[in-house]
Amino acid sequence: MPTTTSSAPWPISPAMPPVLEICDLRVSYVAGPEVLKGISFAVGADEFVAIIGSSGAGKSTLIRCVNRLVEPSHGRVLFNGRDMLRLDSGDLRRERRNIGMIFQQFNLIERMSVIDNVLTGRLGHTGTLRSLFRMFRREDIERAVRLLDRFGLAEHIDKRADQLSGGQRQRVGIARALIQNPGLLLVDEPTSSLDPKISREVMALIRDAAREFAIPVLCNIHDVALALEFGTRVIGLQGGRVMFDAPAAEVDQIVLNRIYNMEVL
Amino acid sequence: MTGPVEILATAVMARRRRSRRFSLLFQAGIAALVLWSLEAIVIGDTDWSRITLASVGRALGRFAEFDWRLMPDLLEPALETVLMATLATLLGLLLAIPVAWLGAANISPVGRVTYVLGRGLMTLSRSIHEMVWGLVFVAAVGLGALAGILAMSLRSIGFISKMVAEAIEDVDTGPIEAMRAAGGNRFQVLLYAIVPQVLPVVLGSIIFEWDVNVRRSTIMGLVGAGGLGLALHRQIVSYNYGGIVAVILIILGIILIGEVASNRARQAVL
């Protein structure tokens, strides 16, 4: 039976309806077992939800179901009350504009300048003809410059993306997501290509920006320490199922031992 | 005493003997084939009484009578040759872009059907020699450079579109994912995530194809399709050996210049 928000393990204040509500989400690829076997949870407006779990647990698939980079086979994904799974391709594109995404491999266009990379975050709001000539609006360019300046990349604006270091490139990726002015941030293993020091900086950057612009975050991260430090809530995924779902402060050593034991199995 | 190792070794020995015997047989077969074709088409088919040291020397001597007077008249066809190659390459690129789009498995618009169509067009373009295309277009649009340009551009489609289609199939899918996630439409994904990644391949293949087209355009005139080939043809039919040499030297010069120019361009772009 599909679980709903009311069965979440802690109360969500009624004044604040969830931004994202996932109900009984299932995914199976052709000729294979189910990758997600009925996932349900909700994300409130002020939450930073960290999803932990070993590789192959379905974290990446789960996050891609929200903006339908992966097509689920069953379930509901309500974003601000609209079911993403029922949108036609035009409506889906319009809804995707409101969901920013940050990637493990940054997914920048290497041969394009830093600022053009950030501006691609506005493609959904830019006409096809304008985008053909890279004629982005002045207000978009101003916001791109402001974001790059905020992330300490002001002097790299016109450099090609492949000339930057890993940490700088991820900042460009974050700026690209933020310029969308999103109502939700999907973050997929943002630190896996970075060293530990840069990883914490990048996580802090995402958290601070999310707080400042009041954007809820759904973040895959296999590093449990980072998940506990930056997440307000932690969801443990195992074999395509939610194994636990609790506020970060309540995740103690016993719970962690359980995860590690589960991962050994 | 024969243990398992000895049994295995005996089997390996037998297998090696068999494969050695087979490869000897194969080599003997190839040798017989070569000897037979030499006898059939060279030894039997040549008028050996005609070939003497003196006759060969005489013929080569005629080629040494270089015809300088022809040079000024060759400048215009020489320029025409290079321009033909350039226009043919640009037209070929223009026609190759939609073919590459059809023939790239990952972005082909209607899937399997258009993919097969695209691959079919590539093969068609490459499997018919430019001289044959030239004959077709001379018949269709008359003698002159236009027929040559059309012939070479059709031939160029195959190479350029195949290179570009393969580059499209090899693109990093990360940026595609990012553009889709930001709400980009199909065209924007193509323009921002795919085009920048395949641009070096596009430039590299048009430089290569221009170089090839310069060579092609020097002989397109043999079928009446403009350029230096026409001058070459005239010298051949009037048995003016000195003139033939003059045209050949000009062709050699153009090809050398083309080689240098394309190398420079490649270094500048890549």
Side-chain angles (χ1 to χ4, degrees):
Chain A
M1 200 188 108
T3 43
T4 52
T5 347
S6 57
S7 68
W10 75 99
I12 287 173
S13 84
M16 227 179 221
V19 172
L20 181 71
E21 216 178 327
I22 293 175
C23 305
D24 196 29
L25 190 71
R26 292 165 191 273
V27 176
S28 47
Y29 294 115
V30 192
E34 277 189 328
V35 183
L36 297 182
K37 301 168 180 167
I39 302 270
S40 302
F41 63 88
V43 180
D46 54 356
E47 286 192 287
F48 189 122
V49 178
I51 303 174
I52 61 175
S54 54
S55 351
K59 303 194 297 288
S60 198
T61 302
L62 169 58
I63 215 168
R64 280 169 173 72
C65 283
V66 175
N67 60 1
R68 272 171 65 188
L69 290 178
V70 168
E71 288 290 346
S73 39
H74 178 85
R76 279 191 298 162
V77 175
L78 301 178
F79 175 54
N80 289 326
R82 277 188 98 178
D83 191 349
M84 294 291 289
L85 307 190
R86 291 178 188 281
L87 301 180
D88 63 29
S89 60
D91 281 337
L92 175 62
R93 276 205 307 277
R94 275 182 283 280
E95 217 50 73
R96 277 175 176 167
R97 303 187 302 202
N98 303 321
I99 302 177
M101 194 160 184
I102 296 167
F103 301 88
Q104 176 175 0
Q105 301 296 335
F106 325 131
N107 290 0
L108 302 182
I109 298 145
E110 303 288 344
R111 299 171 54 83
M112 223 157 75
S113 71
V114 165
I115 188 161
D116 278 2
N117 263 291
V118 176
L119 286 166
T120 59
R122 298 304 292 174
L123 276 183
H125 293 275
T126 307
T128 300
L129 202 63
R130 272 179 170 273
S131 53
L132 177 61
F133 299 104
R134 297 195 191 171
M135 283 165 47
F136 291 97
R137 288 184 189 78
R138 183 176 172 91
E139 68 211 61
D140 290 341
I141 291 171
E142 277 175 9
R143 289 181 61 200
V145 173
R146 208 174 306 131
L147 281 164
L148 286 170
D149 185 44
R150 171 199 175 111
F151 292 157
L153 294 168
E155 78 247 50
H156 302 300
I157 277 178
D158 291 319
K159 278 193 189 159
R160 259 170 56 159
D162 54 7
Q163 292 179 310
L164 302 189
S165 71
Q168 290 171 325
R169 284 154 80 182
Q170 189 56 294
R171 283 159 204 244
V172 176
I174 297 168
R176 176 178 65 190
L178 290 176
I179 202 173
Q180 284 178 243
N181 211 4
L184 174 68
L185 268 182
L186 302 176
V187 188
D188 188 27
E189 298 285 359
T191 62
S192 290
S193 311
L194 305 172
D195 69 45
K197 179 171 168 285
I198 306 287
S199 292
R200 294 195 68 256
E201 285 174 21
V202 161
M203 287 303 290
L205 224 67
I206 295 173
R207 179 194 55 195
D208 296 346
R211 270 188 198 154
E212 183 180 332
F213 303 116
I215 310 167
V217 180
L218 192 59
C219 178
N220 287 341
I221 186 151
H222 70 269
D223 184 328
V224 177
L226 288 177
L228 292 179
E229 180 176 352
F230 292 97
T232 57
R233 177 177 153 207
V234 178
I235 292 179
L237 221 58
Q238 166 95 56
R241 289 196 174 87
V242 173
M243 293 309 274
F244 72 88
D245 181 345
E250 289 175 21
V251 180
D252 56 14
Q253 200 54 46
I254 296 163
V255 177
L256 283 183
N257 284 342
R258 250 180 66 208
I259 317 165
Y260 287 123
N261 286 339
M262 285 193 302
E263 287 188 356
V264 169
L265 285 175
Chain B
M1 169 105 203
T2 50
V5 172
E6 281 77 7
I7 292 171
L8 197 60
T10 310
V12 169
M13 286 288 284
R15 209 155 50 228
R16 288 167 65 94
R17 231 184 349 262
R18 263 201 307 283
S19 83
R20 202 156 46 231
R21 220 174 294 146
F22 176 79
S23 77
L24 266 176
L25 212 65
F26 185 72
Q27 284 158 10
I30 297 277
L33 203 65
V34 169
L35 288 175
W36 174 77
S37 40
L38 264 180
E39 155 61 23
I41 64 175
V42 181
I43 297 175
D45 216 31
T46 305
D47 181 5
W48 292 99
S49 64
R50 197 185 156 277
I51 302 178
T52 63
L53 209 59
S55 73
V56 173
R58 220 169 24 249
L60 289 178
R62 275 204 294 266
F63 278 104
E65 294 155 15
F66 188 75
D67 193 349
W68 286 105
R69 290 161 303 151
L70 215 57
M71 284 310 226
D73 297 329
L74 289 179
L75 281 181
E76 202 190 309
L79 186 64
E80 186 184 60
T81 299
V82 176
L83 291 180
M84 272 169 64
T86 309
L87 289 175
T89 309
L90 291 178
L91 183 60
L93 171 67
L94 220 60
L95 297 170
I97 289 170
V99 177
W101 178 51
L102 294 177
N106 52 342
I107 61 164
S108 198
V110 197
R112 193 82 203 145
V113 181
T114 47
Y115 170 76
V116 171
L117 176 69
R119 289 284 156 167
L121 288 174
M122 286 175 204
T123 310
L124 181 71
S125 149
R126 289 188 312 146
S127 54
I128 296 177
H129 197 274
E130 62 268 16
M131 298 299 264
V132 178
W133 284 123
L135 285 168
V136 171
F137 281 111
V138 165
V141 303
L143 294 168
L146 178 62
I149 291 170
L150 293 175
M152 287 188 290
S153 62
L154 279 201
R155 188 91 153 101
S156 293
I157 292 175
F159 176 76
I160 299 176
S161 60
K162 190 171 161 60
M163 294 301 287
V164 174
E166 263 151 32
I168 291 174
E169 285 172 358
D170 283 343
V171 293
D172 172 15
T173 55
I176 298 177
E177 207 178 28
M179 296 304 101
R180 289 176 65 205
N185 60 34
R186 275 175 86 127
F187 182 76
Q188 289 170 326
V189 171
L190 192 71
L191 198 64
Y192 281 80
I194 296 177
V195 169
Q197 290 193 60
V198 301
L199 205 57
V201 173
V202 171
L203 294 176
S205 19
I206 63 173
I207 290 168
F208 179 85
E209 198 61 17
W210 179 78
D211 195 25
V212 173
N213 277 339
V214 168
R215 285 151 217 264
R216 286 179 183 151
S217 64
T218 57
I219 54 161
M220 287 307 297
L222 291 178
V223 293
L228 274 172
L230 200 59
L232 183 63
H233 183 64
R234 281 202 205 104
Q235 301 307 314
I236 290 173
V237 294
S238 56
Y239 296 102
N240 184 6
Y241 291 92
I244 295 174
V245 176
V247 178
I248 288 175
L249 283 180
I250 297 265
I251 289 176
L252 197 65
I254 289 179
I255 288 174
L256 284 176
I257 292 170
E259 182 97 358
V260 172
S262 62
N263 263 329
R264 286 273 168 80
R266 205 166 297 136
Q267 275 162 14
V269 167
L270 306 180

